[in-house]
Structures are given as C-alpha cells and as structure tokens.
Amino acid sequence: MLRPFTTKLAATIRVPLHQAIAFQRQVHSSATRLQSNDETPVSPPASEEAKKTLPQKASHIVRSILHGSEQVRQETKYTLSKVLARGKYVHELATHSVKPGCMEEYKAVVGELYPLIVRNLSPGAKLVGSWETDIGELDTAVHIWEYKGYPALSAAYLTYRSDPEYQRLHRKMLSLLRSRKSQIMLEFQFWPTHPPASKGGLYELRSYMLKSGTLLEWEQNWRIGVECRKHHEVPMGAWFSQLGDLNQVHHLWQYPDLQVRKEVRESAWSENGWPETVLNTVPLIQKMSSRIMLPMSFSSLK
C-alpha cells in the first residue's frame, strides 16, 4: 500500500499529498517495469547513484526541486566568482555625512588629503571621483576609489595608519563628520568604470538593494539594458557589493543637466530591449535610491 509512506513523505518535505502520491506511483511503476523485464541484459556494477534506496532518491529529488541541483549550484558559484565581475580592480565606495554648515571646510580638507594619497602614499590606488550630493541625502559626500586588487587595498590601509601627514588631515576631516560608511565593491564585467574625464554637468548614483540570490539575474538583464542606454548616454560605472552592505548594486550616470536627464531616460523606452529590462528587474529590487551629485574640484570624473 502506498499511502503510509506517501503521507510521511508529504509531511516531511511539506508538499501537497496528491503530488507526493503521484511521485511515488511513478517511481513504483518504473521499478515494476524493470523487475518484470526478463530479457534485460546483465548490468555493469551499480554506481553510487544506483545504490541509493528509494527514500534517499526521493530526498535527493526534493532537495533538487527546492534548492536546485548540485550542478546548477556549482555553475552559479563559478559564474558569480569568475564571470560576473571584471576581476581587474577592487573599488571602495566611501560615504561621508558632513555636519551641517561644514561642507566647504570639509571639501578643503579632503581636497588636500585625497590628492596626497594618490600622489605620494598609495601607487596602487586611484580616485575615480568625489562628489557632493545636491539632491537626495544632503550634507553628504561620496567618494569612489579604485585599487589594483585586494593586495593594493590592504597595502593602502597599512600606509594610511602609519603616515603622519595622512593622520593629521584625517583627524581634521573626522572632526567635520557626523558619520561615515565604507563599502567594498567589484565592477560588472560588461560595464567597466569610465576613465578620468571632464564632462561638466551632474552625476547620478542609483543604488539598488536586491533580493538575496537575484544578482545573476540582474546582471543578465542589464547586459541588454546597458546596450540600449548606450545609444543615448555614456554609462560611467556599475558595481556590486562584496563587503559592507550586501546584495547592493550601484550605477553611475552623467548628464549635462536635469532636463537632458529627463529626455534621455524617456528616449530609452523606444529602444528594443529596454522595456523588457525594466520589467524583468523591478521584481528583483527590495529598495532603491537616487542621488544627484556635483563633482568636487579634484575629482577625476567631473
């Protein structure tokens, strides 16, 4: 009788009873056909898979349904580590919340500190850009650093802790802040960071908090989406987080002004593939934000 084992199976894996009954009947029917075939040739030594009992096979199938097969999990792991990231650089997103009324003094201090880092202290570091938020979270500065891998990042941190001039300027900078945050990121393979440029205008940093496990799907859709947007604007950079706040993606764009931004974003909807990109990626988002930023005088992107 099939019902006792089937009821236990359904309760264990939490699937409807009728699905468990159908599954066991299929397995039982297959086993009966194999046993009744007298002309079946002698099989080679049984593999490890063939030695599994019916409950073991059922458990393996259920795990595959609920969590994905081991092969798929391994392929996904390989894709995220080897294909998703460009792999050439490590980037740091530093966000500083400045005390109200202190932004000009703050910009003067970091305008002295950050060129010192690039010029004298860290040959493996490059300042991608420094901006002041104009719309969004006000009294906030955003800095993006680029390092030649994790060794260069670690070496830079060690140098900062031991250099007297860095420490002097850093303490002065800290006295002007309410809080600060650091996030280590990798750039998407299909969207490399833009080299230094003086374009003028404004920059937009769009940040997305994704649902866990959806980063690969996001990347696959944006490979198409960014090609659509390239016809109307130049993408400046895109990264996904590795340390700090996780499951987060950042896209950086540049526009001459807000009116051009509006026109460019509207025109993208006429491109084949862009509406599908939006349709497919919106369900992956838990939270999103946008900030309009103005470059500081020493920024590489300005």
Side-chain angles (χ1 to χ4, degrees), residues 266-283:
E266 289 176 350
S267 63
W269 287 94
S270 64
E271 294 287 340
N272 291 331
W274 176 245
E276 290 78 9
T277 298
V278 175
L279 179 66
N280 293 335
T281 55
V282 165

Side-chain angles (χ1 to χ4, degrees), residues 50-176:
K51 292 179 182 178
K52 290 181 180 179
T53 64
L54 179 60
Q56 288 174 330
K57 291 181 179 180
S59 177
H60 173 75
I61 293 173
V62 170
R63 284 198 305 271
S64 297
I65 294 172
L66 297 181
H67 307 293
S69 69
E70 182 64 25
Q71 179 181 355
V72 170
R73 290 198 298 272
Q74 290 300 324
E75 289 176 352
T76 301
K77 179 181 178 181
Y78 175 83
T79 300
L80 291 176
S81 62
K82 300 296 184 182
V83 178
L84 198 64
R86 190 174 174 214
K88 190 175 182 180
Y89 300 107
V90 172
H91 289 80
E92 179 182 16
L93 174 66
T95 307
H96 295 170
S97 179
V98 182
K99 294 177 181 177
C102 296
M103 181 58 77
E104 292 306 314
E105 185 179 359
Y106 166 84
K107 288 192 291 186
V109 174
V110 295
E112 186 178 356
L113 174 60
Y114 284 2
L116 170 69
I117 293 174
V118 175
R119 184 175 62 250
N120 298 334
L121 299 183
S122 183
K126 183 177 74 174
L127 182 62
V128 174
S130 292
W131 300 269
E132 173 188 359
T133 301
D134 193 46
I135 299 176
E137 190 176 359
L138 299 178
D139 297 314
T140 302
V142 174
H143 311 278
I144 299 179
W145 290 90
E146 180 178 278
Y147 299 92
K148 295 179 180 178
Y150 283 107
L153 173 66
S154 300
Y157 282 8
L158 287 174
T159 302
Y160 301 160
R161 297 187 185 103
S162 60
D163 185 81
E165 183 63 9
Y166 174 92
Q167 289 297 326
R168 181 186 71 82
L169 292 170
H170 191 251
R171 285 192 298 269
K172 191 173 182 180
M173 182 192 73
L174 291 180
S175 69
L176 304 172

Side-chain angles (χ1 to χ4, degrees), residues 40 196 210 239 268 275 297-298:
T40 302
L210 303 184
W239 306 268
S297 60
F298 55 88

Side-chain angles (χ1 to χ4, degrees), residues 113-273:
L113 174 60
Y114 284 2
L116 170 69
I117 293 174
V118 175
R119 184 175 62 250
N120 298 334
L121 299 183
S122 183
K126 183 177 74 174
L127 182 62
V128 174
S130 292
W131 300 269
E132 173 188 359
T133 301
D134 193 46
I135 299 176
E137 190 176 359
L138 299 178
D139 297 314
T140 302
V142 174
H143 311 278
I144 299 179
W145 290 90
E146 180 178 278
Y147 299 92
K148 295 179 180 178
Y150 283 107
L153 173 66
S154 300
Y157 282 8
L158 287 174
T159 302
Y160 301 160
R161 297 187 185 103
S162 60
D163 185 81
E165 183 63 9
Y166 174 92
Q167 289 297 326
R168 181 186 71 82
L169 292 170
H170 191 251
R171 285 192 298 269
K172 191 173 182 180
M173 182 192 73
L174 291 180
S175 69
L176 304 172
L177 300 183
R178 291 181 295 174
S179 63
R180 57 194 179 117
K181 178 186 289 188
S182 175
Q183 188 179 55
I184 302 301
M185 316 176 296
L186 299 178
E187 59 185 349
F188 284 103
Q189 185 272 337
F190 67 94
W191 193 336
T193 305
H194 198 284
S198 297
K199 292 179 172 292
L202 53 86
Y203 288 76
E204 180 180 14
L205 184 66
R206 298 178 67 85
S207 300
Y208 306 86
M209 182 67 71
L210 303 184
K211 298 175 183 177
S212 297
T214 62
L215 181 59
L216 181 59
E217 187 175 354
W218 178 274
E219 186 265 357
Q220 291 171 341
N221 281 283
W222 264 97
R223 277 182 178 271
I224 301 172
V226 75
E227 291 300 321
C228 300
R229 296 287 291 271
K230 280 180 179 179
H231 297 161
H232 303 272
E233 57 191 315
V234 179
M236 305 305 290
W239 306 268
F240 59 97
S241 60
Q242 287 288 285
L243 296 170
D245 292 335
L246 300 179
N247 300 314
Q248 197 163 23
V249 171
H250 304 280
H251 294 176
L252 182 65
W253 306 90
Q254 187 275 338
Y255 305 96
D257 53 48
L258 290 175
Q259 179 61 29
V260 172
R261 173 188 178 275
K262 173 181 179 294
E263 294 169 358
V264 165
R265 291 179 59 83
E266 289 176 350
S267 63
W269 287 94
S270 64
E271 294 287 340
N272 291 331

